[in-house]
Amino acid sequence: MSDLDRDTLLALYESMMTIRMFEERVTREFRKGDMPGFVHTYIGAEAVAVAVCAHLNDSDYISSTHRGHGHCLAKGCDPGDMLAELYGRETGLCKGRGGSMHIADFERGMLGANAIVGGGIALAAGGALAAQVRGSDAVAVTFFGDGASNQGVLHEVMNLSSIWQLPVIFVCENNGWAESTPVEYSTSVANISDRAAGYGIPGVSVDASDVLAVYDVAGAAVDRARSGEGPTLIEARIGRMVGHYLGDPEGYRSKDSKLEEQSRDPIPPFEQRLLADGVLSDSSIASIAAGIEVVLDAGVEHAKTSPMPDAADVEAHVYAPVQ
Amino acid sequence: MTDRTLSGAQAIGEALFQAMEQDANVIVLGEDVSGGAGLGEPHEGEMGGSFGVTRSLFSAFGPTRVRDTPISEAAVAGLATGAAAAGIRPVADMMWSSFTPLAFDQIFNQAAKMRYMFGGQATVPVVYRMAMGAGLGAAGQHSDTLYSLYTHIPGLKVVVPSSPYDAKGLLLSSIEDDNPVLFFEHMGLYGQKGHVPEEPYTVAIGEASVLREGSDVTIVAISMMTVKAIDAAELLSADGVESEVIDPRSLSPLDVETLRRSVEKTGRLVIVDESPPRCSIASDIAAIVGEEAFGALQAPIRRVTAPHTPVPLSPPLEQAYIPSIERVLAAVRSTLA
Ligand SMILES: Cc1ncc(C[n+]2csc(CCOP(=O)(O)OP(=O)(O)O)c2C)c(N)n1
Ligand SMILES: [Mg+2]
C-alpha cells in the first residue's frame, strides 16, 4: 500500500476531507433550522466510501443508505447540487423531491440513498445483473450498516448473487450501532464477514480507521468482481463518532464509549502518515481545507438562493412518459 | 390466419418470446421459469413456469436471459428493479400474486417511488408477472387478486387482461413501458381460447375496451369477471335490458373517460370484481363515477364483489366467494327497480 502513488494518496485524503467538511457544514447549517427532514452524517466512516469508490468509475453502480452523503461525494456527486437537494430546492440532484435520505445521481451510477434499512442491497445487485447480461465489465457496490445486515433481503441477495456470480460487492459499514441497538446484541456472529461463508463467497473484516487497508481489500474485491469471479462481503469496522442522526440525545451510550469510538477517527492517522511521508505539509493541508471551504460556501449559497419547487408540480415525475 | 386461436397461457408465452426476440435487453427471471436449472437437455426449460407459460424461452434464449431463481421473492423483485434502473428490461415472474407481499418493499418503496424521489432521473422498465384468482381450490394463500392494493400505489401501472388477444398486446406494451408494471394473469385466462394474431402487436395501457354496447346499464367487470358480465348481459337482453359491458384492462392508469361516457348514456352502474370490497378497485370506480357523473345516475351504484374474507378451500365456499352470474343479475335488476 505504501507503493500507492502520491496523486492517489492525495486524492484519498482530499476526498475524505471533503466528506468530513461537508458533514460538519451540514451539521452547522441544519442547526439553523431551515433544512427540512432528517440528517444522518457520515462522520467517522469516510475511509469506507472513499477507499471503495476509488476503484470505481461512472459506469459502475452503487447503492447507499440513510447515511449516504459520503457515498455520493465519493462517487463524484456535486456538493452544491447535493446541498440544494438537502434544502429541498428545484436545483437539487433530485429536484428537491428526495432530500438527504433519497439522494441519487444516475449519471454517476449512484442508484440512490435509501431510507429503508437494507433497501438498496437488491437494487445494486440488480445493477450487477444488468452489467452481466450486457456483458460489460461494470461492477456494483452496495453499502449498508450492521443493522441492515440482519435484514432478510441481504441473505436472499447474497445467495442469489453467489449462484449467479454477479459482479457485486457487499460493503457492510459496521459502526457498532443500529440507532440505539449495539451490534453485539443484535447480531449472531462476532464478525459480520463470517456470514459470507453461508453463501460461498469470500468475507473479510477490515479496520476502517485505516483507509489504506480498506483500499486494498476493496481493490481485491472489485478486481474479483470485474474479472467475473463473483461477489465479496466486506465488513468495514468503524466507530460511530456522532449520534445516529443530527439531534440524537444518545442516552443509550456512555460518554466514555463515545470517546473511544471517536478515537477511531480515520483522518488524523492518515494525515500524520502523509505528513511523515512528505506527501502533505502543513501548508498543503491548509490549502486543501481552504479549497473545500470555498466549494462548500458556494454550494450553500447556491442551495439557499435556488428556487423551491413550484407547488403546482407536485404531481410531476411519478411516471415516465409513454414513448 | 384470422382464425388463429391460442390459449391465454400461450398468448402470454408468445408475447414474452417476441419481446425477447425484438430486444436483447429483455430478460426473464423467477422461480421455476425454466425448471431443471443446470441439468441440460431434456429437462432444463421443460417446465416453463408453474403454468408452462415460459416453456419456449430457455431453449431459444439460454441461461443468461432466462434465469431460474431460488425462492427469494424480495431478491427476484429487487434485482429486477435494480436491473431495470440500470437500463435493461427484466420481466420478473412472481408466480402467484399472493407471494408478492414477500417482495413488497422492493415494489412499493423502491420501484414505485424511485422516479419521483429522485426527481425524474430514474427510469424503471420492469414487469412483475403473476398468476391470481380463485377457482382452483388453491385457497387462502394462493388465490388473492391483490390488484387493488397495487392500484393504490402511485408510480406503478396495473394491468388486468381478460382475453388472450389483450394479454399478448398488453404484455408487449408492458414490457415496452418505461414504468414498473404489475401484470395480473387470472387462472381463468390461462385456459381461455381466443383469436391471437401471430405478429407482435401492442394494446395501449390505459384504454378500456367496450365488450358489448348497451343503453340501459353499464357493467364494469375486472379481469375474468368480464366473462360473467357478458353472460349476465345476454340473459338480461332476453328480458329487454341492454347492458354495456366494459373491461378497463388496466386499473392504473384507469380509463375514466370511457366509464364516464358510458354511465352518462346508461344512468346505471354495476361493478363486478373478484376481490374483497373494502378500499378496492370496485369502491374506487364507484367513488370516481359518483364524483364525475352523479348527475347522470338514475340509481345507486352497485358493487358485486367477493365477501370481505380470505379465499376459502371447500368448493361450495369458494363458489360463494366468487361473484356469480346470479348476483350480477340481481345487482343489475336492483338498479332498474
Ligand atoms: C426497514 C427499516 N426499518 C427501520 C428503520 C428505522 N431506522 C433507520 S436507521 C436505523 C438503524 C440502521 O442501522 P445500521 O444499518 O447499522 O446503519 P447506521 O445508522 O448505523 O449507519 C433504523 C432502525 C428504517 N429506516 N427502515
Ligand atoms: Mg450501524
Side-chain angles (χ1 to χ4, degrees), chain A residues 178-205:
Chain A
E179 294 195 0
S180 70
T181 303
V183 66
E184 295 80 9
Y185 173 82
S186 66
T187 305
S188 59
V189 287
N191 307 303
I192 290 172
S193 60
D194 289 349
R195 288 180 166 170
Y199 305 100
I201 64 176
V204 46
S205 295

PDB file of all heavy atoms in Angstrom, chain A residues 178-205:
ATOM      1  N   ALA A 178     -27.123   0.211  15.571  1.00  0.00           N
ATOM      2  CA  ALA A 178     -28.274   0.478  14.715  1.00  0.00           C
ATOM      3  C   ALA A 178     -29.184   1.356  15.570  1.00  0.00           C
ATOM      4  O   ALA A 178     -29.807   0.862  16.515  1.00  0.00           O
ATOM      5  CB  ALA A 178     -28.973  -0.808  14.310  1.00  0.00           C
ATOM      6  N   GLU A 179     -29.205   2.651  15.282  1.00  0.00           N
ATOM      7  CA  GLU A 179     -29.807   3.621  16.189  1.00  0.00           C
ATOM      8  C   GLU A 179     -29.224   3.422  17.589  1.00  0.00           C
ATOM      9  O   GLU A 179     -28.053   3.722  17.810  1.00  0.00           O
ATOM     10  CB  GLU A 179     -31.350   3.534  16.200  1.00  0.00           C
ATOM     11  CG  GLU A 179     -31.944   3.933  14.860  1.00  0.00           C
ATOM     12  CD  GLU A 179     -33.435   4.210  14.924  1.00  0.00           C
ATOM     13  OE1 GLU A 179     -34.063   4.097  15.993  1.00  0.00           O
ATOM     14  OE2 GLU A 179     -33.998   4.556  13.862  1.00  0.00           O
ATOM     15  N   SER A 180     -30.018   2.822  18.513  1.00  0.00           N
ATOM     16  CA  SER A 180     -29.552   2.664  19.897  1.00  0.00           C
ATOM     17  C   SER A 180     -29.150   1.234  20.213  1.00  0.00           C
ATOM     18  O   SER A 180     -28.824   0.907  21.346  1.00  0.00           O
ATOM     19  CB  SER A 180     -30.683   3.058  20.847  1.00  0.00           C
ATOM     20  OG  SER A 180     -31.711   2.087  20.776  1.00  0.00           O
ATOM     21  N   THR A 181     -29.203   0.353  19.200  1.00  0.00           N
ATOM     22  CA  THR A 181     -29.027  -1.071  19.478  1.00  0.00           C
ATOM     23  C   THR A 181     -27.608  -1.514  19.137  1.00  0.00           C
ATOM     24  O   THR A 181     -27.179  -1.418  17.982  1.00  0.00           O
ATOM     25  CB  THR A 181     -30.045  -1.895  18.662  1.00  0.00           C
ATOM     26  OG1 THR A 181     -31.348  -1.425  18.997  1.00  0.00           O
ATOM     27  CG2 THR A 181     -29.937  -3.382  18.964  1.00  0.00           C
ATOM     28  N   PRO A 182     -26.872  -2.004  20.144  1.00  0.00           N
ATOM     29  CA  PRO A 182     -25.494  -2.423  19.887  1.00  0.00           C
ATOM     30  C   PRO A 182     -25.447  -3.659  18.992  1.00  0.00           C
ATOM     31  O   PRO A 182     -26.280  -4.554  19.106  1.00  0.00           O
ATOM     32  CB  PRO A 182     -24.947  -2.776  21.278  1.00  0.00           C
ATOM     33  CG  PRO A 182     -25.928  -2.219  22.255  1.00  0.00           C
ATOM     34  CD  PRO A 182     -27.245  -2.148  21.558  1.00  0.00           C
ATOM     35  N   VAL A 183     -24.455  -3.715  18.138  1.00  0.00           N
ATOM     36  CA  VAL A 183     -24.317  -4.839  17.220  1.00  0.00           C
ATOM     37  C   VAL A 183     -24.086  -6.148  17.977  1.00  0.00           C
ATOM     38  O   VAL A 183     -24.542  -7.206  17.539  1.00  0.00           O
ATOM     39  CB  VAL A 183     -23.192  -4.573  16.189  1.00  0.00           C
ATOM     40  CG1 VAL A 183     -21.819  -4.506  16.839  1.00  0.00           C
ATOM     41  CG2 VAL A 183     -23.203  -5.607  15.068  1.00  0.00           C
ATOM     42  N   GLU A 184     -23.444  -6.065  19.134  1.00  0.00           N
ATOM     43  CA  GLU A 184     -23.207  -7.288  19.914  1.00  0.00           C
ATOM     44  C   GLU A 184     -24.531  -7.915  20.340  1.00  0.00           C
ATOM     45  O   GLU A 184     -24.648  -9.131  20.462  1.00  0.00           O
ATOM     46  CB  GLU A 184     -22.373  -6.997  21.171  1.00  0.00           C
ATOM     47  CG  GLU A 184     -20.962  -6.516  20.897  1.00  0.00           C
ATOM     48  CD  GLU A 184     -20.888  -5.037  20.539  1.00  0.00           C
ATOM     49  OE1 GLU A 184     -21.915  -4.325  20.661  1.00  0.00           O
ATOM     50  OE2 GLU A 184     -19.803  -4.596  20.099  1.00  0.00           O
ATOM     51  N   TYR A 185     -25.526  -7.067  20.571  1.00  0.00           N
ATOM     52  CA  TYR A 185     -26.836  -7.576  20.956  1.00  0.00           C
ATOM     53  C   TYR A 185     -27.596  -8.116  19.752  1.00  0.00           C
ATOM     54  O   TYR A 185     -28.222  -9.166  19.811  1.00  0.00           O
ATOM     55  CB  TYR A 185     -27.661  -6.459  21.612  1.00  0.00           C
ATOM     56  CG  TYR A 185     -29.084  -6.870  21.868  1.00  0.00           C
ATOM     57  CD1 TYR A 185     -29.420  -7.607  22.995  1.00  0.00           C
ATOM     58  CD2 TYR A 185     -30.091  -6.569  20.946  1.00  0.00           C
ATOM     59  CE1 TYR A 185     -30.729  -8.022  23.214  1.00  0.00           C
ATOM     60  CE2 TYR A 185     -31.392  -6.985  21.146  1.00  0.00           C
ATOM     61  CZ  TYR A 185     -31.709  -7.706  22.288  1.00  0.00           C
ATOM     62  OH  TYR A 185     -32.994  -8.127  22.489  1.00  0.00           O
ATOM     63  N   SER A 186     -27.516  -7.391  18.638  1.00  0.00           N
ATOM     64  CA  SER A 186     -28.434  -7.685  17.524  1.00  0.00           C
ATOM     65  C   SER A 186     -27.942  -8.780  16.599  1.00  0.00           C
ATOM     66  O   SER A 186     -28.717  -9.284  15.794  1.00  0.00           O
ATOM     67  CB  SER A 186     -28.658  -6.417  16.691  1.00  0.00           C
ATOM     68  OG  SER A 186     -27.444  -6.041  16.050  1.00  0.00           O
ATOM     69  N   THR A 187     -26.675  -9.135  16.696  1.00  0.00           N
ATOM     70  CA  THR A 187     -26.084  -9.907  15.604  1.00  0.00           C
ATOM     71  C   THR A 187     -25.471 -11.197  16.132  1.00  0.00           C
ATOM     72  O   THR A 187     -24.721 -11.175  17.117  1.00  0.00           O
ATOM     73  CB  THR A 187     -25.054  -9.027  14.865  1.00  0.00           C
ATOM     74  OG1 THR A 187     -25.719  -7.838  14.463  1.00  0.00           O
ATOM     75  CG2 THR A 187     -24.489  -9.711  13.651  1.00  0.00           C
ATOM     76  N   SER A 188     -25.782 -12.300  15.466  1.00  0.00           N
ATOM     77  CA  SER A 188     -25.484 -13.633  15.997  1.00  0.00           C
ATOM     78  C   SER A 188     -24.023 -14.051  15.831  1.00  0.00           C
ATOM     79  O   SER A 188     -23.617 -15.071  16.351  1.00  0.00           O
ATOM     80  CB  SER A 188     -26.372 -14.658  15.286  1.00  0.00           C
ATOM     81  OG  SER A 188     -26.132 -14.609  13.892  1.00  0.00           O
ATOM     82  N   VAL A 189     -23.256 -13.289  15.079  1.00  0.00           N
ATOM     83  CA  VAL A 189     -21.859 -13.667  14.847  1.00  0.00           C
ATOM     84  C   VAL A 189     -20.937 -12.540  15.304  1.00  0.00           C
ATOM     85  O   VAL A 189     -21.332 -11.379  15.342  1.00  0.00           O
ATOM     86  CB  VAL A 189     -21.584 -13.952  13.347  1.00  0.00           C
ATOM     87  CG1 VAL A 189     -22.210 -15.268  12.918  1.00  0.00           C
ATOM     88  CG2 VAL A 189     -22.098 -12.820  12.460  1.00  0.00           C
ATOM     89  N   ALA A 190     -19.716 -12.893  15.643  1.00  0.00           N
ATOM     90  CA  ALA A 190     -18.764 -11.875  16.093  1.00  0.00           C
ATOM     91  C   ALA A 190     -18.290 -11.022  14.923  1.00  0.00           C
ATOM     92  O   ALA A 190     -18.060  -9.824  15.064  1.00  0.00           O
ATOM     93  CB  ALA A 190     -17.573 -12.545  16.775  1.00  0.00           C
ATOM     94  N   ASN A 191     -18.141 -11.663  13.778  1.00  0.00           N
ATOM     95  CA  ASN A 191     -17.718 -10.939  12.575  1.00  0.00           C
ATOM     96  C   ASN A 191     -18.829 -11.037  11.544  1.00  0.00           C
ATOM     97  O   ASN A 191     -19.191 -12.150  11.135  1.00  0.00           O
ATOM     98  CB  ASN A 191     -16.461 -11.576  11.974  1.00  0.00           C
ATOM     99  CG  ASN A 191     -15.361 -11.714  13.003  1.00  0.00           C
ATOM    100  OD1 ASN A 191     -14.951 -10.727  13.613  1.00  0.00           O
ATOM    101  ND2 ASN A 191     -14.928 -12.948  13.228  1.00  0.00           N
ATOM    102  N   ILE A 192     -19.333  -9.914  11.118  1.00  0.00           N
ATOM    103  CA  ILE A 192     -20.397  -9.959  10.113  1.00  0.00           C
ATOM    104  C   ILE A 192     -19.873 -10.616   8.836  1.00  0.00           C
ATOM    105  O   ILE A 192     -20.608 -11.305   8.128  1.00  0.00           O
ATOM    106  CB  ILE A 192     -20.964  -8.539   9.873  1.00  0.00           C
ATOM    107  CG1 ILE A 192     -21.756  -8.115  11.128  1.00  0.00           C
ATOM    108  CG2 ILE A 192     -21.847  -8.485   8.634  1.00  0.00           C
ATOM    109  CD1 ILE A 192     -22.222  -6.685  11.150  1.00  0.00           C
ATOM    110  N   SER A 193     -18.572 -10.463   8.600  1.00  0.00           N
ATOM    111  CA  SER A 193     -17.988 -11.097   7.413  1.00  0.00           C
ATOM    112  C   SER A 193     -18.090 -12.625   7.457  1.00  0.00           C
ATOM    113  O   SER A 193     -18.050 -13.277   6.413  1.00  0.00           O
ATOM    114  CB  SER A 193     -16.527 -10.679   7.258  1.00  0.00           C
ATOM    115  OG  SER A 193     -15.791 -11.083   8.397  1.00  0.00           O
ATOM    116  N   ASP A 194     -18.250 -13.196   8.672  1.00  0.00           N
ATOM    117  CA  ASP A 194     -18.394 -14.660   8.767  1.00  0.00           C
ATOM    118  C   ASP A 194     -19.610 -15.148   7.987  1.00  0.00           C
ATOM    119  O   ASP A 194     -19.675 -16.310   7.572  1.00  0.00           O
ATOM    120  CB  ASP A 194     -18.551 -15.102  10.226  1.00  0.00           C
ATOM    121  CG  ASP A 194     -17.256 -14.957  11.016  1.00  0.00           C
ATOM    122  OD1 ASP A 194     -16.197 -14.718  10.388  1.00  0.00           O
ATOM    123  OD2 ASP A 194     -17.310 -15.068  12.263  1.00  0.00           O
ATOM    124  N   ARG A 195     -20.561 -14.266   7.841  1.00  0.00           N
ATOM    125  CA  ARG A 195     -21.798 -14.685   7.169  1.00  0.00           C
ATOM    126  C   ARG A 195     -21.564 -15.003   5.692  1.00  0.00           C
ATOM    127  O   ARG A 195     -22.373 -15.704   5.070  1.00  0.00           O
ATOM    128  CB  ARG A 195     -22.868 -13.608   7.329  1.00  0.00           C
ATOM    129  CG  ARG A 195     -23.377 -13.586   8.763  1.00  0.00           C
ATOM    130  CD  ARG A 195     -24.425 -12.550   8.997  1.00  0.00           C
ATOM    131  NE  ARG A 195     -25.097 -12.800  10.279  1.00  0.00           N
ATOM    132  CZ  ARG A 195     -25.939 -11.965  10.857  1.00  0.00           C
ATOM    133  NH1 ARG A 195     -26.201 -10.810  10.290  1.00  0.00           N
ATOM    134  NH2 ARG A 195     -26.511 -12.274  12.000  1.00  0.00           N
ATOM    135  N   ALA A 196     -20.500 -14.505   5.136  1.00  0.00           N
ATOM    136  CA  ALA A 196     -20.195 -14.801   3.726  1.00  0.00           C
ATOM    137  C   ALA A 196     -20.081 -16.301   3.504  1.00  0.00           C
ATOM    138  O   ALA A 196     -20.466 -16.818   2.442  1.00  0.00           O
ATOM    139  CB  ALA A 196     -18.897 -14.112   3.315  1.00  0.00           C
ATOM    140  N   ALA A 197     -19.556 -17.003   4.496  1.00  0.00           N
ATOM    141  CA  ALA A 197     -19.340 -18.446   4.350  1.00  0.00           C
ATOM    142  C   ALA A 197     -20.639 -19.167   4.033  1.00  0.00           C
ATOM    143  O   ALA A 197     -20.650 -20.158   3.293  1.00  0.00           O
ATOM    144  CB  ALA A 197     -18.704 -19.008   5.621  1.00  0.00           C
ATOM    145  N   GLY A 198     -21.737 -18.655   4.599  1.00  0.00           N
ATOM    146  CA  GLY A 198     -23.033 -19.283   4.359  1.00  0.00           C
ATOM    147  C   GLY A 198     -23.479 -19.172   2.911  1.00  0.00           C
ATOM    148  O   GLY A 198     -24.398 -19.875   2.484  1.00  0.00           O
ATOM    149  N   TYR A 199     -22.843 -18.315   2.167  1.00  0.00           N
ATOM    150  CA  TYR A 199     -23.233 -18.089   0.774  1.00  0.00           C
ATOM    151  C   TYR A 199     -22.106 -18.425  -0.194  1.00  0.00           C
ATOM    152  O   TYR A 199     -22.179 -18.100  -1.384  1.00  0.00           O
ATOM    153  CB  TYR A 199     -23.725 -16.636   0.616  1.00  0.00           C
ATOM    154  CG  TYR A 199     -24.816 -16.393   1.614  1.00  0.00           C
ATOM    155  CD1 TYR A 199     -24.556 -15.720   2.810  1.00  0.00           C
ATOM    156  CD2 TYR A 199     -26.074 -16.963   1.431  1.00  0.00           C
ATOM    157  CE1 TYR A 199     -25.542 -15.593   3.779  1.00  0.00           C
ATOM    158  CE2 TYR A 199     -27.058 -16.838   2.397  1.00  0.00           C
ATOM    159  CZ  TYR A 199     -26.786 -16.153   3.566  1.00  0.00           C
ATOM    160  OH  TYR A 199     -27.748 -16.048   4.534  1.00  0.00           O
ATOM    161  N   GLY A 200     -21.069 -19.029   0.317  1.00  0.00           N
ATOM    162  CA  GLY A 200     -19.991 -19.472  -0.566  1.00  0.00           C
ATOM    163  C   GLY A 200     -19.237 -18.341  -1.213  1.00  0.00           C
ATOM    164  O   GLY A 200     -18.756 -18.463  -2.354  1.00  0.00           O
ATOM    165  N   ILE A 201     -19.139 -17.206  -0.522  1.00  0.00           N
ATOM    166  CA  ILE A 201     -18.373 -16.088  -1.087  1.00  0.00           C
ATOM    167  C   ILE A 201     -17.317 -15.665  -0.069  1.00  0.00           C
ATOM    168  O   ILE A 201     -17.455 -15.941   1.122  1.00  0.00           O
ATOM    169  CB  ILE A 201     -19.272 -14.883  -1.471  1.00  0.00           C
ATOM    170  CG1 ILE A 201     -19.953 -14.264  -0.233  1.00  0.00           C
ATOM    171  CG2 ILE A 201     -20.305 -15.301  -2.498  1.00  0.00           C
ATOM    172  CD1 ILE A 201     -20.780 -13.017  -0.548  1.00  0.00           C
ATOM    173  N   PRO A 202     -16.243 -15.000  -0.521  1.00  0.00           N
ATOM    174  CA  PRO A 202     -15.246 -14.547   0.440  1.00  0.00           C
ATOM    175  C   PRO A 202     -15.814 -13.459   1.348  1.00  0.00           C
ATOM    176  O   PRO A 202     -16.598 -12.622   0.895  1.00  0.00           O
ATOM    177  CB  PRO A 202     -14.128 -13.956  -0.433  1.00  0.00           C
ATOM    178  CG  PRO A 202     -14.466 -14.280  -1.839  1.00  0.00           C
ATOM    179  CD  PRO A 202     -15.884 -14.680  -1.908  1.00  0.00           C
ATOM    180  N   GLY A 203     -15.415 -13.502   2.604  1.00  0.00           N
ATOM    181  CA  GLY A 203     -15.802 -12.461   3.547  1.00  0.00           C
ATOM    182  C   GLY A 203     -14.564 -11.964   4.254  1.00  0.00           C
ATOM    183  O   GLY A 203     -13.693 -12.748   4.619  1.00  0.00           O
ATOM    184  N   VAL A 204     -14.454 -10.657   4.417  1.00  0.00           N
ATOM    185  CA  VAL A 204     -13.265 -10.120   5.058  1.00  0.00           C
ATOM    186  C   VAL A 204     -13.656  -8.937   5.928  1.00  0.00           C
ATOM    187  O   VAL A 204     -14.510  -8.128   5.550  1.00  0.00           O
ATOM    188  CB  VAL A 204     -12.176  -9.752   4.015  1.00  0.00           C
ATOM    189  CG1 VAL A 204     -12.753  -8.982   2.866  1.00  0.00           C
ATOM    190  CG2 VAL A 204     -11.020  -8.990   4.637  1.00  0.00           C
ATOM    191  N   SER A 205     -13.078  -8.885   7.128  1.00  0.00           N
ATOM    192  CA  SER A 205     -13.290  -7.736   8.001  1.00  0.00           C
ATOM    193  C   SER A 205     -12.058  -6.855   7.937  1.00  0.00           C
ATOM    194  O   SER A 205     -10.930  -7.352   7.883  1.00  0.00           O
ATOM    195  CB  SER A 205     -13.506  -8.197   9.451  1.00  0.00           C
ATOM    196  OG  SER A 205     -14.700  -8.939   9.538  1.00  0.00           O
TER     197      SER A 205
END
